Amino acid sequence: MFELPKLNLKNKVSAQEWQTRIDLAACYRLVALHGWDDLIYTHISARIPNTDHILINAFGLTFDEITASNLVKIDIDGNIIDPDCPFDINPAGFTIHSAVHQARHEEQCVFHLHTNETIAVASLAEGLLPLSQYAMFALASMSYHDYEGLAVNEDEKLRLQNDLGDSNFMLLRNHGALTLGQTIGDAFMHMYDLTRACQVQLQIMSTGMEPVYAPKKIVAGIKAQASVVHTGLTGGQKSWPAMLRRVYRHDPSFAD
């Protein structure tokens, strides 16, 4: 009950898969460090480059227990690849991820979290408002999906895919947040921006004072700027090594 199976896949998988495992495990630990986790629920998934296989957390583990070796490798239908894997996955949790990975094959990583701030803003009729620079990044590529209950119905996947379109940020009404990225670092930075945007919006609204909205022309032109700041060489790729160093300093066991 209390002892997790000891796994070490470092020399049993390709170098590319191992690096993906390191980055994804670090991502789970960062979510725990930020207080964004939700017991054993919510997920971050990542496609192993040049394959159709996806890595996701084992169901029943907290995010600070995730390691590179105990991530579970599955196919797009949620079938576990390794027959000797001692863990299961949450089928309901993978419904959203499979829908996104199917529709957006070019994106490596999919984040889905249930933070108080993102649920609160997702549950407002107006959704995310242009009240902060963090909001600008998200609004440059924002979408919404209406609540349909627990994400267990296959027929919801097509509606989610249609709502997502080509956006990298999504607020799931009454539910939480979703971000995508071409790398794990990009997806993390997108979720960081969206979460901070929601936090700031709620703080502003709590004052009861009249807010100042960013001009519409600024919001319309921010996408090109956002793609420079938080994606690619000056974005996820630049910030991600710093995030890795932080996780290594806190608890290097994630890389086991």
Side-chain angles (χ1 to χ4, degrees), residues 76 94-105 143-145 148 154-167 170 172 178 180:
I76 195 64
F94 187 61
T95 300
I96 290 173
H97 290 258
S98 63
V100 177
H101 282 293
Q102 286 173 347
R104 300 284 295 279
H105 196 275
S143 59
Y144 294 86
H145 177 65
E148 298 189 27
E154 283 291 313
D155 60 355
E156 183 181 355
K157 291 170 66 171
L158 181 58
R159 290 187 290 276
L160 188 146
Q161 291 168 342
N162 289 337
D163 289 338
L164 180 65
D166 62 357
S167 65
M170 173 177 268
L172 302 157
L178 182 78
L180 293 75

Side-chain angles (χ1 to χ4, degrees), residues 74-120:
I74 57 178
D75 62 21
I76 195 64
D77 296 316
N79 299 307
I80 296 174
I81 301 301
D82 182 1
D84 297 322
C85 177
F87 299 109
D88 295 319
I89 68 164
N90 182 351
F94 187 61
T95 300
I96 290 173
H97 290 258
S98 63
V100 177
H101 282 293
Q102 286 173 347
R104 300 284 295 279
H105 196 275
E106 73 281 7
E107 307 293 347
Q108 182 190 16
C109 185
V110 180
F111 252 85
H112 172 47
L113 300 182
H114 299 159
T115 63
N116 290 352
E117 297 89 351
T118 56
I119 295 172

Side-chain angles (χ1 to χ4, degrees), residues 2 10-11 21 53 66 75 124 127 158 177 180 183 185-186 256:
F2 296 108
K10 184 173 183 180
N11 297 314
R21 286 177 173 273
H53 293 157
I66 301 297
D75 62 21
L124 297 173
L158 181 58
L180 293 75
T183 68
D186 288 343
D256 290 346

Side-chain angles (χ1 to χ4, degrees), residues 220-236:
I222 204 75
K223 188 168 187 176
Q225 296 173 334
S227 67
V228 172
V229 174
H230 277 350
T231 303
L233 292 176
T234 60

